Amino acid sequence: GGFGLVFGSFPVALSTLPGAQHWIRFFFLMLFLLGIDSAFSFMEASLVSFNDSKQFTNINPKKLALVVATAGWLFSWIYATDAGLYLSDVMDYYINFVMFLVGAFECFSAGWVYNIEEQVDNLGSPIVFSFMATYFGSFFVACIVWFASDPSVAMWAGFVALFSSMSIGLVFVALLIRNGMKRGSMWSWRSAWFDLALRNVFELRDDLAIVVGRIPLVWAILVKFFIPPVLLVLFSMGCAAKTDDEKTEFGNYGGYPPTFQLLGIMAVFFVGFLFFSAAIMPRLYTGFTKTNSPVVSKKDDADLLARARAGQVANIAVLSSTNSSTNAKTEGELSSSLESDVEVPKMASWPPTEETA
């Protein structure tokens, strides 16, 4: 695989075909177009972040794209040196770890961190974080058994550790939920488990559907419960891989000098730093907050509701002080008349009465 396959085996195989020189030209043209396509994807990911941020709101997107492309072109010159092929091989190996981490962190943020404040308000932080620790802690324990124990028993022992840890953790979470139900802070087992396991990712699905259209229900389940642990297991598998001389491949890839290994390892740790720094101190990245999101945030909804309620209270005070003749109205009638000032959609009744028909 790798460079030997692309620049060695494939050209040799194509050279045996009729019109070999043309097939080889088309093959390398395809590689060039694949490189351009990859550059588009990397460029778009960074440009979207910059264009949505507050600092670059008034900057022409074309000029910003030119700056990012120029910076990438300048950095790519390092691969045109005599050591460029070796450095590219090392970075390609370690970038695989970066991609596993990026995918796992993105799915974790979407499926577990999104709207976590409301989840903590509803259930309490002990329940929410115990469930999170149970799920990912179980896979962490299983990975240790799978990749650090005797290969003859590693497979079944890892699954035993996974299900045992998961069961113990879920029993502990269930006890916390029962205590919450006794205090009257939760409605039922069903509502508590739904809030804990699915509500936030279903709300993310509904919010994204406003922009991108219909999203299948299975997407929400995969993003939260399937993709993150699978990517973390693949990352652990890569970390546990061994070289021919039984050294850990991570940090000793290809027998390259420590300087090359260090550059690749720094790329992996840099991604980890970005994730954990954002989790611990999210204010560091407030400059990258989207300024004109089409999705109304939960905070905006709460502020709108508070202003509406404040307006209703002010109207009640004015009406009660200026017109004492309205005292004959009941409190319920007055409340309903004031609520009509706030545009709130009403549910249609069925079957329709004569008034609604």
Side-chain angles (χ1 to χ4, degrees):
F3 290 96
L5 180 64
V6 174
F7 297 101
S9 301
F10 276 143
V12 171
L14 292 174
S15 65
T16 62
L17 298 176
Q21 57 183 354
H22 302 297
W23 287 113
I24 294 175
R25 288 177 182 141
F26 281 125
F27 175 72
F28 283 102
L29 176 63
M30 179 196 69
L31 292 180
F32 173 76
L33 295 177
L34 286 176
I36 295 294
D37 180 73
S38 300
F40 275 126
S41 63
F42 284 112
M43 283 277 296
E44 188 65 21
S46 57
L47 286 176
V48 168
S49 300
F50 289 137
N51 289 328
D52 289 345
S53 62
K54 299 177 182 178
Q55 287 83 354
F56 300 96
T57 302
N58 300 322
I59 296 180
N60 190 325
K62 293 181 180 179
K63 294 181 179 179
L64 186 60
L66 177 62
V67 172
V68 174
T70 304
W73 175 72
L74 292 175
F75 278 110
S76 68
W77 273 96
I78 191 175
Y79 296 109
T81 62
D82 292 338
L85 186 63
Y86 305 113
L87 181 62
S88 178
D89 187 25
V90 172
M91 294 302 295
D92 178 71
Y93 171 77
Y94 286 103
I95 283 296
N96 292 329
F97 289 92
V98 173
M99 292 297 102
F100 286 142
L101 285 180
V102 169
F105 291 156
E106 286 181 348
C107 292
F108 177 80
S109 301
W112 295 83
V113 179
Y114 183 79
N115 207 16
I116 194 173
E117 297 89 353
E118 183 177 343
Q119 196 176 34
V120 170
D121 291 340
N122 294 339
L123 301 173
S125 56
I127 295 177
V128 173
F129 292 111
S130 295
F131 181 66
M132 190 182 299
T134 294
Y135 193 77
F136 288 98
S138 300
F139 281 97
F140 179 75
V141 172
C143 286
I144 294 177
V145 178
W146 278 328
F147 305 119
S149 59
D150 187 358
S152 62
V153 298
M155 182 61 66
W156 66 266
F159 281 105
V160 170
L162 173 64
F163 291 114
S164 300
S165 303
M166 189 78 70
S167 300
I168 295 173
L170 290 178
V171 169
F172 178 73
V173 173
L175 293 176
L176 294 177
I177 293 176
R178 188 182 67 176
N179 293 334
M181 293 172 62
K182 289 181 179 179
R183 294 193 302 267
S185 59
M186 302 177 193
W187 290 99
S188 63
W189 284 103
R190 181 178 180 181
S191 64
W193 281 109
F194 178 76
D195 284 352
L196 183 61
L198 295 173
R199 180 181 294 277
N200 69 317
V201 73
F202 280 5
E203 290 178 348
L204 172 63
R205 168 178 168 266
D206 295 338
D207 290 343
L208 291 177
I210 299 174
V211 181
V212 302
R214 181 180 176 274
I215 300 177
L217 183 66
V218 68
W219 174 88
I221 298 175
L222 291 176
V223 163
K224 183 161 188 175
F225 293 107
F226 183 76
I227 299 177
V230 168
L231 292 178
L232 291 177
V233 169
L234 292 176
F235 177 81
S236 302
M237 185 184 301
C239 292
K242 302 288 186 180
T243 61
D244 294 336
D245 53 356
E246 293 301 317
K247 292 182 179 179
T248 304
E249 196 169 36
F250 188 89
N252 299 283
Y253 172 70
Y256 292 111
T259 305
F260 288 81
Q261 308 289 346
L262 181 61
L263 290 175
I265 295 174
M266 285 176 60
V268 178
F269 280 96
F270 178 69
V271 174
F273 165 77
L274 291 178
F275 174 80
F276 288 107
S277 62
I280 298 173
M281 299 182 64
R283 289 178 294 178
L284 293 174
Y285 304 95
T286 53
F288 291 94
T289 304
K290 187 173 178 61
T291 56
N292 55 348
S293 175
V295 179
V296 180
S297 66
K298 308 298 180 183
K299 182 178 183 300
D300 293 336
D301 286 341
D303 293 342
L304 181 62
L305 181 60
R307 289 196 299 268
R309 289 174 177 173
Q312 291 180 11
V313 172
N315 289 337
I316 292 174
V318 171
L319 289 176
S320 61
S321 62
T322 58
N323 190 2
S324 58
S325 62
T326 58
N327 291 336
K329 288 188 176 183
T330 63
E331 183 180 355
E333 293 173 340
L334 180 58
S335 176
S336 60
S337 65
L338 293 172
E339 288 177 355
S340 63
D341 295 337
V342 181
E343 296 181 1
V344 179
K346 297 181 179 180
M347 298 298 294
S349 59
W350 187 265
T353 61
E354 294 182 359
E355 296 180 356
T356 60

